[in-house]
Amino acid sequence: MSDGKPAVVLVHGAFAESASWNPVIERLREKSLDVTAVANPLRSVAGDAAYVRDVIASIGKPVVLVGHSYGGIVITEAAAGNEAVIGLSYVAAFAPEQGESAFELSGKFPGSTLADALVAYPLATGGNEFAIAKDSFHQQFAADVAASEAAVMAATQRPVTEIALTAGLATDRPAWKTIPSWFVFGSEDRNIPAELQRFMAERAGSRGTREIAGASHALSVSCPDAVAAAILDTAGVSG
């Protein structure tokens, strides 16, 4: 699709997977956008960002980079100093400053109930990995999604390492400081409280912020129209 429009690269977060973007991809493709949904490794901020940078380099054209949840940290690192990235979309996502981690940010304002929903287990390679308990997933992650669909999401969720959630952003040039950014999130997000997302959007000088009343953390599944609209704004494509 060589029509002068930027490509869109979607980066999922913890406890999700690339297919969680499917409803959004359908809407973006209706606008003839070239879309890639990355399989985020969820192993470490540095390693995950390096992988995303490789994906961006392989596309060979300007890119709008989109992150959900922990994926927001990854895109903030991956886009730092990257001239290929022309815009950032944070979808119910962290937008950290240097040194800030997902763990640190999630406790900055009250409202997150994620810690109580997690199960942890050790890895043979060292450290621990986290997942959301299947019996908690619906209410914690996707309360506005049908129970049957949430059950499938719980079964296909990708666990994340402890180090990915606790390591601070390394770059001293967080991408949102130099690249225009847009934010969309739900008022009933139980992973990343809306108050925190408002704070991060304001700090980043968001060019456009959408807060979806009643929406959960699983915004790309429950509110794909709003997510697609934010991405189209970032890409400079009329909705």
Side-chain angles (χ1 to χ4, degrees), residues 145-202:
V145 172
S148 57
E149 186 170 11
V152 174
M153 293 169 66
T156 60
Q157 67 174 300
R158 297 270 308 284
V160 63
T161 64
E162 183 175 10
I163 190 64
L165 297 181
T166 58
L169 187 77
T171 181
D172 60 358
R173 295 179 61 197
W176 49 261
K177 289 191 173 184
T178 56
I179 301 173
S181 60
W182 281 255
F183 286 71
V184 58
F185 56 90
S187 67
E188 300 304 314
D189 192 324
R190 298 180 182 181
N191 281 23
I192 307 177
E195 187 177 3
L196 171 59
Q197 299 194 56
R198 294 185 205 110
F199 165 81
M200 293 186 293
E202 182 176 356

Side-chain angles (χ1 to χ4, degrees), residues 8-25 35-45 47-49 51-52 55 64-76 78 89-94 102 129-130 132 137 141 153 156-161 164-165 191-192 217-221 227 231:
V8 176
V9 175
L10 306 168
V11 182
H12 68 79
F15 323 120
E17 40 89 39
S18 55
S20 63
W21 293 110
N22 284 359
V24 175
I25 292 171
V35 185
T36 300
V38 175
N40 187 0
L42 304 177
R43 302 295 88 185
S44 70
V45 174
D48 298 344
Y51 177 63
V52 171
V55 173
V64 163
L65 199 51
V66 184
H68 173 246
S69 194
Y70 162 79
I73 297 181
V74 175
I75 70 169
T76 302
S89 286
Y90 289 92
V91 179
F94 293 109
E129 189 170 66
F130 292 107
I132 296 178
F137 191 94
F141 196 90
M153 293 169 66
T156 60
Q157 67 174 300
R158 297 270 308 284
V160 63
T161 64
L165 297 181
N191 281 23
I192 307 177
H217 191 61
L219 212 58
S220 63
V221 177
V227 174
I231 296 169

